[in-house]
Amino acid sequence: MTNEALVALALEMRQRSYAPYSHFAVGAALLCDDGTVFTGCNVENAAYGSTICAERTALLKAVSEGRTSGFQAVAIAGQGEDFCWPCGACRQMLYEFAPDLTVLAARNDGQFRVCSLSQLLPKGFGPHSLK
Ligand code: THU
């Protein structure tokens, strides 16, 4: 799957967003090496801190379906003028399962930037750190 196609899925997933508090819809699409894609959206909560981001929704869908490795890329699409880079908590969660992940951050007009997770979370703490 092309980067453009993965970003298109993330953009589309914004429609599923539940964001009555921030009104900031985010969609995500997580690509596996066999071509499987897990999608997600942000799901907010009246207890604001319980909100879950779109990319974490996608990741947790994958893990809960038994997929814990082989992740290639994640596309994240916000609705702002700026590229939607993952928050710190999501960087850490993604790093656990995919330290070599490619991150595609999209903005409202569909343009996106590509970066590696290791660039976004250098010297990260992960499973290897506990050895
Ligand atoms: N959000 C995401 O879903 N992913 C990100 O990478 C950044 C932030 C969500 C969380 C919250 O529902 C809304 O965007 C505003 O912060």
Side-chain angles (χ1 to χ4, degrees):
M1 172 174 284
T2 63
N3 286 348
E4 286 74 13
L6 196 63
V7 168
L9 286 175
L11 288 162
E12 196 180 317
M13 278 305 291
R14 295 178 304 180
Q15 293 170 21
R16 300 263 174 91
S17 164
Y18 177 78
Y21 307 107
S22 74
H23 304 288
F24 189 80
V26 184
L30 178 63
L31 176 65
C32 303
D33 53 12
D34 67 352
T36 306
V37 177
F38 292 91
T39 56
C41 61
N42 56 332
V43 182
E44 298 188 344
N45 192 273
Y48 298 164
S50 300
T51 290
I52 183 164
C53 294
E55 57 273 46
R56 251 182 299 160
T57 301
L59 177 68
L60 296 181
K61 281 170 70 178
V63 173
S64 61
E65 293 297 322
R67 184 79 60 139
T68 55
S69 62
F71 300 114
Q72 275 185 358
V74 67
I76 307 160
Q79 58 178 100
E81 295 173 2
D82 203 358
F83 301 104
C84 192
W85 297 106
C87 77
C90 287
R91 293 177 195 203
Q92 182 66 35
M93 285 289 287
L94 291 165
Y95 188 83
E96 178 79 15
F97 299 98
D100 299 321
L101 194 68
T102 296
V103 177
L104 314 174
R107 63 186 186 195
N108 199 30
D109 65 2
Q111 294 289 307
F112 63 93
R113 294 286 181 264
V114 184
C115 194
S116 67
L117 182 59
S118 59
Q119 284 177 290
L120 298 175
L121 190 66
K123 300 184 177 67
F125 187 86
H128 59 86
S129 310
L130 295 171
K131 286 181 183 155

